[in-house]
Amino acid sequence: MNLYLILALVLFKTKKMSLQENTALKKATLALLVQMMTSDAQIAPVEEKYIEYVARELGITILDSHEIRKNPEHFDLKPPQGEQERMTILYYLLFTMRIDGKIEKKEEELCYKAALKLGFNHQMVSDLIAVM
């Protein structure tokens, strides 16, 4: 079983409890994923579908989702205190980065920056990226 599948299973098991009812956190998480999707200036259809999937899973309305996609920089991520919530955001970010089958330098840079903000060290993120 590859790491990608393992991460998907972990995310599936934790998503019901993660990000709880914090609407601002959910919107900021989606905005971060939109920034990841657009960071390489090439938006693949599979990335679009994944962003739509995450928006639905987070309970973000279509109207809010469109606003987030138009202006993702207006939604500042304030890292949650709980490790499970922070890990969930990191998983979503890693999946978004990898979903199109390639990882670009700008995507990696954004991932490291966001992971640091979430409280994860560079080496841990580097290891996760390496096995994806």
Side-chain angles (χ1 to χ4, degrees):
M1 186 180 295
N2 68 25
L3 182 63
Y4 188 71
L5 182 55
I6 292 169
L7 288 174
L9 292 172
V10 170
L11 180 61
F12 177 76
K13 289 180 180 181
T14 62
K15 73 178 178 184
K16 294 296 179 194
M17 297 184 295
S18 63
L19 306 186
Q20 304 193 354
E21 294 305 315
N22 186 334
T23 303
L25 178 59
K26 290 177 182 183
K27 288 179 179 181
T29 298
L30 188 65
L32 180 61
L33 303 183
V34 169
Q35 289 175 24
M36 177 63 75
M37 176 180 71
T38 59
S39 68
D40 64 359
Q42 299 173 2
I43 301 173
V46 68
E47 289 174 313
E48 292 273 357
K49 293 287 184 197
Y50 184 68
I51 295 295
E52 291 169 7
Y53 164 78
V54 172
R56 280 192 310 273
E57 288 297 306
L58 294 177
I60 296 174
T61 67
I62 292 171
L63 185 61
D64 285 342
S65 180
H66 287 298
E67 180 61 31
I68 292 165
R69 292 176 82 159
K70 282 194 277 186
N71 300 298
E73 65 282 350
H74 292 159
F75 298 87
D76 187 40
L77 179 66
K78 292 179 179 59
Q81 291 185 0
E83 183 177 8
Q84 183 175 358
E85 290 175 319
R86 291 184 289 116
M87 283 300 294
T88 299
I89 294 168
L90 181 60
Y91 286 139
Y92 278 137
L93 189 62
L94 289 166
F95 283 121
T96 304
M97 183 172 64
R98 182 67 172 118
I99 198 85
D100 65 355
K102 57 188 187 259
I103 299 174
E104 302 291 339
K105 185 72 173 162
K106 287 183 178 183
E107 291 173 321
E108 273 190 54
E109 291 169 1
L110 178 59
C111 187
Y112 286 124
K113 182 179 175 184
L116 182 62
K117 188 172 186 175
L118 289 167
F120 300 109
N121 69 49
H122 189 275
Q123 187 59 51
M124 178 189 150
V125 176
S126 181
D127 291 344
L128 287 170
I129 291 171
V131 295
M132 292 189 77

